[in-house]
Coordinates of all heavy atoms in Angstrom, one line a residue:
M1 N 14.8 -6.4 -11.8 CA 13.9 -6.6 -10.8 C 14.2 -7.9 -10.1 O 14.3 -8.9 -10.7 CB 12.5 -6.6 -11.3 CG 11.4 -6.9 -10.3 SD 9.7 -6.5 -10.8 CE 9.4 -7.5 -12.2
S2 N 14.2 -7.9 -8.7 CA 14.3 -9.2 -8.0 C 13.0 -9.6 -7.4 O 12.0 -8.9 -7.6 CB 15.4 -9.0 -6.9 OG 14.8 -8.3 -5.8
S3 N 12.9 -10.6 -6.6 CA 11.7 -11.1 -6.1 C 11.8 -11.3 -4.6 O 11.3 -12.3 -4.1 CB 11.1 -12.3 -6.8 OG 12.1 -13.3 -6.8
R4 N 12.6 -10.5 -3.9 CA 12.8 -10.7 -2.5 C 11.6 -10.7 -1.6 O 11.5 -11.2 -0.6 CB 13.8 -9.7 -2.0 CG 15.2 -9.9 -2.5 CD 16.2 -8.9 -1.8 NE 15.8 -7.5 -2.2 CZ 16.4 -6.4 -1.7 NH1 17.4 -6.6 -0.8 NH2 16.1 -5.2 -2.1
L5 N 10.5 -10.0 -2.1 CA 9.3 -9.8 -1.3 C 8.1 -10.6 -1.9 O 7.0 -10.5 -1.6 CB 8.9 -8.3 -1.2 CG 9.9 -7.5 -0.5 CD1 9.4 -6.0 -0.5 CD2 10.2 -7.9 0.9
E6 N 8.5 -11.6 -2.8 CA 7.4 -12.4 -3.4 C 6.7 -13.2 -2.3 O 7.4 -13.7 -1.4 CB 8.1 -13.4 -4.4 CG 7.2 -14.0 -5.4 CD 6.8 -13.0 -6.5 OE1 7.7 -12.4 -7.1 OE2 5.6 -12.9 -6.8
G7 N 5.4 -13.2 -2.3 CA 4.6 -13.9 -1.3 C 4.4 -13.1 0.0 O 3.7 -13.6 0.9
K8 N 4.9 -11.9 0.0 CA 4.7 -11.0 1.2 C 3.7 -10.0 0.9 O 3.5 -9.6 -0.3 CB 6.0 -10.3 1.5 CG 7.2 -11.2 1.7 CD 7.2 -11.9 3.1 CE 8.5 -12.6 3.3 NZ 8.4 -13.5 4.5
T9 N 3.0 -9.5 1.9 CA 2.1 -8.4 1.7 C 2.5 -7.3 2.6 O 2.8 -7.5 3.8 CB 0.6 -8.8 2.1 OG1 0.2 -9.9 1.3 CG2 -0.3 -7.6 2.0
V10 N 2.6 -6.1 2.0 CA 3.2 -4.9 2.7 C 2.1 -3.8 2.8 O 1.4 -3.5 1.8 CB 4.4 -4.4 2.0 CG1 5.0 -3.1 2.7 CG2 5.5 -5.4 1.9
I11 N 1.9 -3.3 4.0 CA 1.0 -2.1 4.1 C 1.8 -0.9 4.2 O 2.7 -0.8 5.0 CB 0.1 -2.2 5.4 CG1 -0.8 -3.5 5.4 CG2 -0.7 -1.0 5.6 CD1 -1.6 -3.7 6.6
V12 N 1.6 0.1 3.3 CA 2.3 1.4 3.2 C 1.3 2.5 3.3 O 0.3 2.5 2.6 CB 3.2 1.5 2.0 CG1 4.2 2.7 2.1 CG2 3.9 0.2 1.6
T13 N 1.6 3.4 4.2 CA 0.7 4.6 4.4 C 1.4 5.9 3.9 O 2.6 5.9 3.9 CB 0.3 4.8 5.9 OG1 1.4 5.1 6.6 CG2 -0.4 3.5 6.4
G14 N 0.5 6.8 3.5 CA 1.1 8.1 3.0 C 1.8 7.9 1.7 O 3.0 8.3 1.5
V15 N 1.1 7.3 0.7 CA 1.8 6.8 -0.5 C 1.5 7.6 -1.8 O 2.0 7.2 -2.8 CB 1.5 5.3 -0.8 CG1 2.0 4.4 0.3 CG2 0.0 5.1 -1.0
A16 N 0.7 8.6 -1.7 CA 0.4 9.4 -2.9 C 1.6 10.1 -3.5 O 1.6 10.4 -4.6 CB -0.8 10.3 -2.6
R17 N 2.5 10.4 -2.6 CA 3.7 11.1 -3.1 C 4.9 10.8 -2.1 O 4.7 10.2 -1.1 CB 3.5 12.6 -3.2 CG 3.1 13.2 -1.9 CD 2.9 14.7 -2.0 NE 2.9 15.3 -0.6 CZ 2.0 16.0 -0.2 NH1 0.9 16.3 -0.9 NH2 2.1 16.5 1.1
G18 N 6.0 11.4 -2.4 CA 7.2 11.4 -1.5 C 7.7 10.0 -1.1 O 7.8 9.1 -1.9
I19 N 8.1 9.9 0.1 CA 8.8 8.7 0.6 C 7.9 7.5 0.5 O 8.4 6.4 0.1 CB 9.3 8.9 2.1 CG1 10.4 10.1 2.1 CG2 9.9 7.7 2.7 CD1 10.7 10.5 3.5
G20 N 6.7 7.6 0.9 CA 5.7 6.5 0.9 C 5.6 6.0 -0.5 O 5.5 4.7 -0.7
K21 N 5.5 6.8 -1.5 CA 5.3 6.4 -2.9 C 6.5 5.6 -3.3 O 6.4 4.6 -3.9 CB 5.1 7.6 -3.8 CG 4.9 7.2 -5.2 CD 4.6 8.5 -6.1 CE 4.4 8.1 -7.5 NZ 4.3 9.2 -8.4
A22 N 7.7 6.1 -3.0 CA 9.0 5.5 -3.4 C 9.0 4.1 -2.7 O 9.4 3.1 -3.4 CB 10.2 6.3 -3.0
I23 N 8.6 4.0 -1.4 CA 8.7 2.7 -0.7 C 7.7 1.7 -1.4 O 8.0 0.5 -1.6 CB 8.3 2.9 0.8 CG1 9.5 3.6 1.5 CG2 8.1 1.5 1.4 CD1 9.2 4.0 2.9
A24 N 6.5 2.2 -1.7 CA 5.5 1.3 -2.3 C 6.0 0.8 -3.7 O 5.8 -0.4 -4.0 CB 4.2 2.1 -2.5
E25 N 6.6 1.7 -4.5 CA 7.0 1.3 -5.8 C 8.2 0.3 -5.7 O 8.2 -0.7 -6.4 CB 7.5 2.5 -6.6 CG 6.2 3.3 -7.0 CD 6.6 4.7 -7.7 OE1 7.7 5.1 -7.5 OE2 5.7 5.3 -8.2
M26 N 9.0 0.5 -4.7 CA 10.2 -0.4 -4.5 C 9.6 -1.8 -4.1 O 10.1 -2.9 -4.6 CB 11.1 0.1 -3.5 CG 12.4 -0.8 -3.3 SD 13.1 -0.5 -1.6 CE 11.9 -1.3 -0.6
C27 N 8.7 -1.8 -3.1 CA 8.1 -3.1 -2.7 C 7.4 -3.8 -3.8 O 7.5 -5.1 -3.9 CB 7.2 -2.9 -1.5 SG 8.0 -2.3 0.0
S28 N 6.7 -3.1 -4.7 CA 6.0 -3.7 -5.8 C 7.1 -4.3 -6.8 O 6.9 -5.5 -7.2 CB 5.2 -2.6 -6.6 OG 4.7 -3.1 -7.7
E29 N 8.1 -3.6 -7.0 CA 9.2 -4.1 -7.9 C 9.8 -5.4 -7.4 O 10.3 -6.2 -8.1 CB 10.3 -3.1 -8.2 CG 9.8 -2.0 -9.1 CD 10.8 -0.8 -9.1 OE1 11.9 -0.9 -8.6 OE2 10.3 0.3 -9.6
E30 N 9.8 -5.5 -6.0 CA 10.4 -6.7 -5.4 C 9.4 -7.8 -5.3 O 9.7 -8.8 -4.6 CB 11.0 -6.3 -4.0 CG 12.1 -5.3 -4.0 CD 13.4 -5.9 -4.4 OE1 13.5 -7.1 -4.6 OE2 14.4 -5.2 -4.6
G31 N 8.2 -7.6 -5.8 CA 7.2 -8.7 -5.9 C 6.2 -8.8 -4.8 O 5.4 -9.7 -4.7
A32 N 6.1 -7.8 -3.9 CA 5.2 -7.8 -2.8 C 3.7 -7.5 -3.3 O 3.6 -6.8 -4.2 CB 5.6 -6.8 -1.7
S33 N 2.8 -8.0 -2.6 CA 1.4 -7.5 -2.7 C 1.3 -6.3 -1.8 O 2.0 -6.2 -0.7 CB 0.4 -8.6 -2.2 OG 0.4 -9.7 -3.0
L34 N 0.5 -5.3 -2.2 CA 0.5 -4.0 -1.5 C -0.9 -3.6 -1.0 O -1.9 -3.8 -1.7 CB 1.0 -2.9 -2.4 CG 2.4 -3.0 -2.9 CD1 2.7 -2.0 -4.0 CD2 3.4 -2.9 -1.8
I35 N -1.0 -3.1 0.2 CA -2.1 -2.4 0.7 C -1.7 -1.0 0.9 O -0.8 -0.7 1.7 CB -2.6 -3.0 2.1 CG1 -2.7 -4.5 2.1 CG2 -3.9 -2.3 2.5 CD1 -3.7 -5.1 1.3
L36 N -2.2 -0.1 0.1 CA -1.8 1.3 0.2 C -2.9 2.3 0.7 O -4.1 2.1 0.3 CB -1.4 1.8 -1.3 CG -0.4 0.9 -2.0 CD1 -0.1 1.4 -3.4 CD2 0.9 0.7 -1.2
I37 N -2.5 3.2 1.6 CA -3.5 4.1 2.2 C -3.0 5.5 2.0 O -1.8 5.8 2.3 CB -3.7 3.8 3.7 CG1 -4.1 2.3 3.9 CG2 -4.7 4.7 4.3 CD1 -4.0 1.9 5.4
D38 N -3.9 6.4 1.6 CA -3.6 7.9 1.6 C -4.9 8.6 1.6 O -5.9 8.1 1.1 CB -2.7 8.2 0.4 CG -1.9 9.5 0.6 OD1 -2.5 10.6 0.7 OD2 -0.7 9.4 0.7
T39 N -4.9 9.8 2.1 CA -6.1 10.7 2.0 C -6.3 11.2 0.6 O -7.4 11.6 0.2 CB -5.9 11.9 3.0 OG1 -4.7 12.5 2.7 CG2 -6.0 11.4 4.4
D40 N -5.2 11.2 -0.2 CA -5.2 11.7 -1.6 C -5.7 10.6 -2.6 O -5.1 9.5 -2.6 CB -3.8 12.2 -1.9 CG -3.8 13.0 -3.2 OD1 -4.5 12.6 -4.2 OD2 -2.9 13.9 -3.3
E41 N -6.6 10.9 -3.5 CA -7.1 9.9 -4.5 C -6.0 9.4 -5.3 O -6.1 8.3 -5.9 CB -8.1 10.6 -5.4 CG -9.5 10.9 -4.7 CD -10.4 9.7 -4.7 OE1 -10.2 8.8 -5.5 OE2 -11.4 9.8 -3.9
K42 N -4.9 10.1 -5.4 CA -3.8 9.7 -6.3 C -3.2 8.3 -5.8 O -2.4 7.7 -6.5 CB -2.6 10.7 -6.3 CG -3.0 11.9 -7.2 CD -1.8 12.9 -7.2 CE -2.1 14.1 -8.0 NZ -1.2 15.2 -7.8
V43 N -3.5 7.9 -4.6 CA -3.1 6.6 -4.1 C -3.5 5.5 -5.1 O -2.7 4.5 -5.2 CB -3.7 6.3 -2.7 CG1 -5.2 6.2 -2.7 CG2 -3.1 5.1 -2.1
K44 N -4.6 5.7 -5.8 CA -5.0 4.7 -6.7 C -4.1 4.5 -7.9 O -4.2 3.5 -8.6 CB -6.4 5.0 -7.2 CG -7.5 5.0 -6.1 CD -8.8 5.5 -6.7 CE -9.9 5.5 -5.6 NZ -11.1 6.2 -6.0
E45 N -3.2 5.5 -8.2 CA -2.3 5.5 -9.3 C -1.0 4.8 -9.0 O -0.2 4.6 -9.9 CB -2.1 6.9 -9.9 CG -3.4 7.5 -10.4 CD -3.3 9.0 -10.5 OE1 -2.1 9.5 -10.6 OE2 -4.3 9.7 -10.5
V46 N -0.7 4.7 -7.7 CA 0.6 4.2 -7.2 C 0.7 2.7 -7.3 O -0.2 2.0 -6.8 CB 0.9 4.6 -5.8 CG1 2.2 4.1 -5.3 CG2 0.8 6.2 -5.7
A47 N 1.6 2.2 -8.1 CA 1.9 0.7 -8.2 C 0.6 0.0 -8.5 O 0.4 -1.1 -8.0 CB 2.6 0.2 -7.0
A48 N -0.3 0.6 -9.4 CA -1.6 0.0 -9.7 C -1.4 -1.4 -10.4 O -0.5 -1.5 -11.2 CB -2.4 0.9 -10.6
G49 N -2.1 -2.4 -10.0 CA -2.0 -3.7 -10.6 C -2.8 -4.7 -9.8 O -3.4 -4.3 -8.8
P50 N -2.8 -5.9 -10.2 CA -3.6 -7.0 -9.6 C -3.3 -7.3 -8.1 O -4.1 -7.8 -7.4 CB -3.5 -8.2 -10.5 CG -2.2 -8.0 -11.2 CD -2.1 -6.5 -11.4
R51 N -2.0 -6.9 -7.7 CA -1.6 -7.2 -6.3 C -1.6 -6.0 -5.5 O -1.0 -6.0 -4.4 CB -0.2 -7.9 -6.4 CG -0.2 -9.3 -7.0 CD 1.2 -9.8 -6.9 NE 2.1 -8.7 -7.2 CZ 3.3 -8.9 -7.7 NH1 3.7 -10.1 -8.0 NH2 4.1 -7.9 -7.9
T52 N -2.3 -5.0 -5.9 CA -2.3 -3.7 -5.1 C -3.7 -3.3 -4.8 O -4.6 -3.4 -5.6 CB -1.7 -2.6 -6.0 OG1 -0.3 -2.9 -6.3 CG2 -1.8 -1.2 -5.2
Y53 N -4.0 -3.0 -3.5 CA -5.2 -2.6 -3.0 C -5.1 -1.2 -2.4 O -4.3 -0.9 -1.5 CB -5.7 -3.5 -1.8 CG -5.9 -4.9 -2.3 CD1 -4.8 -5.8 -2.2 CD2 -7.0 -5.4 -2.8 CE1 -4.8 -7.1 -2.6 CE2 -7.1 -6.7 -3.2 CZ -6.0 -7.6 -3.1 OH -6.1 -8.8 -3.5
A54 N -5.8 -0.2 -3.1 CA -5.6 1.2 -2.7 C -6.8 1.6 -1.9 O -8.0 1.4 -2.3 CB -5.4 2.1 -3.9
L55 N -6.6 2.2 -0.7 CA -7.7 2.7 0.1 C -7.5 4.2 0.3 O -6.4 4.7 0.7 CB -7.6 2.0 1.5 CG -7.9 0.5 1.5 CD1 -7.5 -0.1 2.8 CD2 -9.3 0.2 1.1
V56 N -8.5 5.0 0.0 CA -8.5 6.4 0.2 C -9.1 6.7 1.6 O -10.2 6.4 1.9 CB -9.3 7.2 -0.9 CG1 -9.3 8.7 -0.6 CG2 -8.8 6.8 -2.2
G57 N -8.2 7.3 2.5 CA -8.7 7.7 3.8 C -7.6 8.1 4.7 O -6.4 8.0 4.3
D58 N -8.0 8.4 5.9 CA -7.1 8.9 6.9 C -6.6 7.7 7.7 O -7.4 6.9 8.3 CB -7.8 9.9 7.9 CG -6.8 10.6 8.8 OD1 -5.9 9.9 9.3 OD2 -7.0 11.8 9.0
V59 N -5.3 7.5 7.8 CA -4.8 6.3 8.5 C -5.1 6.3 10.0 O -5.0 5.3 10.6 CB -3.2 6.2 8.2 CG1 -2.5 7.2 9.0 CG2 -2.7 4.8 8.5
R60 N -5.5 7.5 10.5 CA -5.8 7.5 11.9 C -7.3 7.0 12.2 O -7.7 6.9 13.3 CB -5.7 9.0 12.4 CG -4.3 9.5 12.4 CD -4.3 11.0 12.6 NE -4.9 11.7 11.5 CZ -4.9 13.0 11.3 NH1 -4.4 13.8 12.3 NH2 -5.5 13.6 10.3
D61 N -8.0 6.7 11.1 CA -9.3 6.2 11.2 C -9.3 4.7 11.5 O -8.8 3.9 10.7 CB -10.0 6.4 9.8 CG -11.4 5.8 9.8 OD1 -11.8 5.0 10.6 OD2 -12.2 6.3 8.8
A62 N -9.7 4.3 12.7 CA -9.5 2.9 13.1 C -10.3 1.9 12.2 O -9.8 0.8 12.0 CB -10.1 2.7 14.6
E63 N -11.4 2.3 11.7 CA -12.2 1.4 10.8 C -11.4 1.2 9.5 O -11.3 0.0 9.0 CB -13.5 2.1 10.5 CG -14.6 1.1 10.0 CD -15.9 1.7 9.8 OE1 -16.4 2.4 10.8 OE2 -16.5 1.6 8.8
L64 N -10.8 2.2 9.0 CA -10.0 2.1 7.8 C -8.8 1.2 8.0 O -8.4 0.3 7.2 CB -9.5 3.5 7.3 CG -8.7 3.4 6.0 CD1 -9.6 3.7 4.8 CD2 -7.5 4.4 6.0
A65 N -8.2 1.3 9.2 CA -7.0 0.5 9.6 C -7.4 -1.0 9.6 O -6.7 -1.8 9.1 CB -6.4 1.0 10.9
S66 N -8.6 -1.2 10.2 CA -9.1 -2.6 10.3 C -9.3 -3.2 8.9 O -9.0 -4.3 8.6 CB -10.4 -2.7 11.1 OG -10.2 -2.3 12.4
Q67 N -9.9 -2.3 8.0 CA -10.2 -2.7 6.6 C -8.8 -3.1 5.9 O -8.8 -4.1 5.2 CB -10.9 -1.6 5.9 CG -11.4 -2.0 4.5 CD -11.9 -0.8 3.7 OE1 -12.1 0.3 4.3 NE2 -12.2 -1.0 2.5
A68 N -7.8 -2.3 6.2 CA -6.5 -2.5 5.5 C -5.9 -3.9 6.0 O -5.4 -4.6 5.2 CB -5.5 -1.4 5.9
V69 N -6.1 -4.2 7.3 CA -5.6 -5.4 7.8 C -6.4 -6.6 7.2 O -5.8 -7.6 6.8 CB -5.6 -5.5 9.4 CG1 -5.3 -6.9 9.9 CG2 -4.6 -4.4 9.9
A70 N -7.7 -6.4 7.1 CA -8.5 -7.5 6.5 C -8.1 -7.7 5.1 O -8.0 -8.9 4.6 CB -10.0 -7.1 6.6
E71 N -7.8 -6.7 4.3 CA -7.3 -6.8 2.9 C -6.0 -7.6 2.9 O -5.8 -8.4 2.0 CB -7.2 -5.4 2.3 CG -8.4 -4.7 2.1 CD -9.2 -5.0 0.8 OE1 -8.9 -6.0 0.2 OE2 -10.0 -4.2 0.4
A72 N -5.1 -7.2 3.9 CA -3.8 -7.9 3.9 C -4.0 -9.4 4.2 O -3.3 -10.2 3.5 CB -3.0 -7.2 5.0
V73 N -4.8 -9.7 5.1 CA -5.0 -11.1 5.4 C -5.5 -11.9 4.2 O -5.1 -13.0 3.8 CB -6.0 -11.3 6.6 CG1 -6.4 -12.8 6.8 CG2 -5.4 -10.8 7.9
S74 N -6.5 -11.3 3.4 CA -7.0 -11.9 2.2 C -5.9 -12.1 1.2 O -5.8 -13.1 0.5 CB -8.1 -11.0 1.6 OG -9.2 -10.9 2.4
A75 N -5.1 -11.0 1.0 CA -4.0 -11.1 0.0 C -3.0 -12.2 0.4 O -2.5 -12.9 -0.4 CB -3.3 -9.7 -0.1
L76 N -2.7 -12.3 1.7 CA -1.8 -13.3 2.2 C -2.3 -14.7 1.9 O -1.6 -15.6 1.5 CB -1.5 -13.1 3.7 CG -0.5 -12.0 4.0 CD1 -0.6 -11.8 5.5 CD2 0.9 -12.4 3.6
R77 N -3.6 -14.9 2.1 CA -4.2 -16.2 1.9 C -4.1 -16.6 0.4 O -3.9 -17.8 0.1 CB -5.7 -16.2 2.2 CG -5.9 -16.2 3.7 CD -7.3 -16.7 4.1 NE -7.4 -16.7 5.5 CZ -8.3 -16.0 6.2 NH1 -9.1 -15.2 5.6 NH2 -8.3 -16.0 7.5
R78 N -4.2 -15.6 -0.5 CA -4.1 -15.9 -1.9 C -2.6 -16.1 -2.4 O -2.4 -16.6 -3.5 CB -4.7 -14.8 -2.7 CG -6.3 -14.8 -2.6 CD -6.9 -13.9 -3.7 NE -6.4 -12.5 -3.5 CZ -7.0 -11.6 -2.7 NH1 -8.0 -11.9 -2.0 NH2 -6.6 -10.4 -2.6
A79 N -1.7 -15.5 -1.6 CA -0.3 -15.5 -2.1 C 0.3 -16.9 -2.1 O -0.1 -17.8 -1.4 CB 0.5 -14.6 -1.2
Ligands
NAD1 N1 11.3 14.3 3.1 C1 12.2 14.1 4.0 O1 13.4 14.4 3.8 C2 11.9 13.6 5.4 C3 13.0 13.4 6.3 C4 12.7 12.8 7.5 C5 11.4 12.5 7.9 N2 10.4 12.8 7.0 C6 9.0 12.4 7.4 O2 8.6 11.2 6.6 C7 7.2 11.4 6.3 C8 6.9 11.4 4.8 O3 7.7 12.4 4.2 P1 7.4 12.9 2.7 O4 8.4 13.9 2.4 O5 7.2 11.7 1.9 O6 5.9 13.6 3.0 P2 4.9 14.2 1.9 O7 4.2 15.3 2.6 O8 5.5 14.4 0.5 O9 3.9 13.0 1.7 C9 3.1 12.5 2.7 C10 1.9 11.7 2.2 O10 1.2 11.2 3.3 C11 -0.2 11.5 3.1 N3 -0.8 11.6 4.4 C12 -0.6 12.6 5.3 N4 -1.3 12.4 6.4 C13 -2.1 11.3 6.2 C14 -3.1 10.6 6.9 N5 -3.4 11.0 8.2 N6 -3.6 9.5 6.4 C15 -3.3 9.0 5.2 N7 -2.4 9.7 4.4 C16 -1.8 10.8 4.9 C17 -0.3 12.7 2.2 O11 -1.5 12.8 1.5 C18 1.0 12.5 1.3 O12 0.6 11.8 0.1 C19 6.7 12.7 7.0 O13 6.2 12.3 8.3 C20 8.0 13.5 7.1 O14 7.9 14.4 8.2 C21 10.6 13.3 5.7

């Protein structure tokens, strides 16, 4: 494991499975804080840990998108 993304916060959508899940896991392994969004509850199981925030919902929902950005700003402040 390297730490190329240490101190970074990454927002990944569509992460309950497939390409999004693989990207989220890779970013976690590289040390990033994560904001994860998916309509599927399984989003909560992806890269679960203290630096991961999972949001269940439709990424087309503007309120959810704003919430994700707010979470990212908080995570960046703590990083
Ligand atoms: N798999 C491939 O080979 C491939 C190739 C080129 C492009 N793509 C594209 O890449 C994207 C991801 O592919 P995949 O194979 O990982 O797809 P997938 O269907 O396996 O996974 C998509 C994930 O996105 C989530 N999702 C879908 N709509 C959502 C929404 N509005 N809000 C929140 N979450 C949502 C689903 O719940 C699911 O977990 C797709 O757009 C696909 O068309 C895939």
Side-chain angles (χ1 to χ4, degrees):
M1 176 166 59
S2 75
S3 55
R4 288 184 298 175
L5 299 179
E6 202 72 50
K8 307 284 186 189
T9 299
V10 179
I11 299 176
V12 192
T13 64
V15 296
R17 63 178 194 235
I19 296 169
K21 183 178 180 186
I23 290 171
E25 289 172 345
M26 184 202 73
C27 290
S28 176
E29 285 168 15
E30 296 284 355
S33 295
L34 298 171
I35 311 292
L36 307 180
I37 305 170
D38 202 293
T39 50
D40 190 324
E41 290 274 344
K42 284 184 184 164
V43 64
K44 295 175 183 169
E45 298 162 20
V46 178
R51 291 181 322 209
T52 298
Y53 302 87
L55 297 168
V56 179
D58 191 320
V59 73
R60 295 169 293 184
D61 177 343
E63 200 172 308
L64 182 95
S66 296
Q67 188 185 350
V69 172
E71 295 274 17
V73 170
S74 295
L76 280 169
R77 285 204 180 113
R78 287 192 300 273

